[in-house]
Every structure is written in structure tokens, then in C-alpha cells.
Amino acid sequence: MAATTCFKYGTPVQSYPAQKQQLPRVTNSITEAKMPGKKETTTKMMMMGLRGGQYNPGKRTGLVVKCSGIGIGDFIGGDLVRFDLGRWLSDVEEHRALAIYSPHEGGYEGRYLNRLRYQGYYFLDLTARGLGDPETTLTKVHPVCPAHLGKQPIARWYFPPEVDYRLDALPPDAKGLVVWIIEAKVLSKAELQFLALLPELRPKVRVIAECGNWRKFMWKPLKEIAGLTDGEDA
């Protein structure tokens, strides 16, 4: 029976003389590194205080960042307590179609969606990338071609209007229907204009379109974004 020999298994661990490795010492403005094996040399790399390539050890400068427009909401429950929810509800009732801009990290729009749900609204969530023609999809009987995978005949199915179908299915105590459209930034100007006019065609409908991102949650009338007004601030 052949035996397999492992040269490193069971052998005593070799002890090497402890070598002290000198690590760079980092300070606020200077990094000092000692090169082992040669004559001790000190390499100084300046991290701050550069002024025209000259190093001034007695003068250190730092970067000062000043933030403007900070309110109490940025310090006391700014992520949970939204102080503009009252204005949000009034603007939804006044303009009936809003373009919203939320932070990139997401999550803030849920606070405003829940507040509308508490008021008695029901929601129709759609994505603009698969919406097609908004007028045909939302207010007319529209055809849909299912995937045929290249082996089946091309079929065409007809679906009822998305908005009218859900308006008829609303309970009697519902306040209205909110059409919440995500990724609305890909829609054309004509499509945004139709969405802005949809509450006039269907009085119980409110339209919320996510038209982009911003540093904080904000909104504007959709008619202003679509170019149907003179651009006056709401």
C-alpha cells in the first residue's frame, strides 16, 4: 500500500527572530515613514497645509463645510416626523396632480403615501416604463400582446381601462383613487400633460408622478412641470 508523505505535516514550527516592522506614523498633517534596511530616511508627505507646493510646518489649514437651509426637522425625528404633511394634503386637494422628487436612497415617499391612505384614498401603482400610451391604457379599452416565445401565434388580448375599472370597484366610503406612477421621468411632455389633465376628466382621480430625485422630498404641480402653466410657484 502506497504511502503519501506530506513534508509540512507534523514538522515543528520554525521560529524566526522577531522582526520589528516599523509602520508609518500618521499625524494630522504629516505622514512619516522609515525605510528599513537602509540608512534611516524620513519621508514626509504633507496631507494638509499645501500652498503652492511649499510646506509650512507651523501652519495647518483644514476644510470647513457650512450647511445652509437646516431646520428643526433635520435634528428631531427628521426621518419619521414630516412637518410638511399638512401642506402635502392641501396641495394634493388643490392641484390634484403633483410631480414629486424624492431622495435617491428612497423610503421617504412612503410617509406621504400612507397619509393619503389614512384619508381614505385607494391606490393604483404603475410604472411608466411599461405603461404604453397613458391615454389608451388608463381611459380606453386597450390591446395587450402576450409573449409568444417565437413558437406560438401572436395573440392580442383586450383589457378594460385601468382607471375606470378601478373607479367602479371602489367601495362607497372611498375618497378617491390615487394613480401613483413611478419612473415618470421617462415620459414625454405630451404624456405628462395628459396625466396632469386626467383629474379633470375623472374628478375622483389624483395623480402622483415620480419625476426625478432631489436632496429632500419635494413636489410641484404637474401642470407646471408639463408646461401647462406659466411656471409660477404653487
Side-chain angles (χ1 to χ4, degrees), residues 4 6 15 34 36 59 70 76 85 87 92 107 121 125 130 134 139 157 159 180 200 222-223:
T4 303
C6 180
S15 58
K34 295 184 179 181
K59 183 179 181 181
I70 297 179
I76 306 176
L85 286 175
R87 185 168 61 90
V92 169
Y121 282 102
D125 298 327
T139 61
W157 298 345
F159 286 82
W180 195 290
E200 299 180 3
L222 190 55
K223 289 185 177 180

Side-chain angles (χ1 to χ4, degrees), residues 63-70:
L63 181 62
V64 180
V65 179
K66 296 182 179 180
C67 299
S68 59
I70 297 179

Side-chain angles (χ1 to χ4, degrees), residues 127-145:
T127 174
R129 296 188 183 275
L131 185 61
D133 181 25
E135 181 180 2
T136 303
T137 304
L138 299 179
T139 61
K140 298 179 181 179
V141 177
H142 55 282
V144 175
C145 295

Side-chain angles (χ1 to χ4, degrees), residues 85-108:
L85 286 175
R87 185 168 61 90
W88 161 258
L89 295 176
S90 61
D91 287 348
V92 169
E93 296 298 334
E94 178 182 357
H95 302 289
R96 299 189 293 178
L98 296 179
I100 64 174
Y101 299 85
S102 58
H104 291 80
E105 58 269 19
Y108 293 91

Side-chain angles (χ1 to χ4, degrees), residues 35-111:
M35 306 299 295
K38 297 182 181 179
K39 184 178 180 181
E40 288 190 355
T41 58
T42 303
T43 304
K44 295 183 180 180
M45 183 174 59
M46 192 167 49
M47 303 299 294
M48 294 186 297
L50 283 175
R51 287 295 182 271
Q54 297 180 358
Y55 170 58
N56 187 358
K59 183 179 181 181
R60 299 177 181 177
T61 59
L63 181 62
V64 180
V65 179
K66 296 182 179 180
C67 299
S68 59
I70 297 179
I72 188 175
D74 297 315
F75 300 98
I76 306 176
D79 56 338
L80 297 177
V81 182
R82 313 305 300 179
F83 296 94
D84 53 356
L85 286 175
R87 185 168 61 90
W88 161 258
L89 295 176
S90 61
D91 287 348
V92 169
E93 296 298 334
E94 178 182 357
H95 302 289
R96 299 189 293 178
L98 296 179
I100 64 174
Y101 299 85
S102 58
H104 291 80
E105 58 269 19
Y108 293 91
E109 57 270 17
R111 309 291 180 186

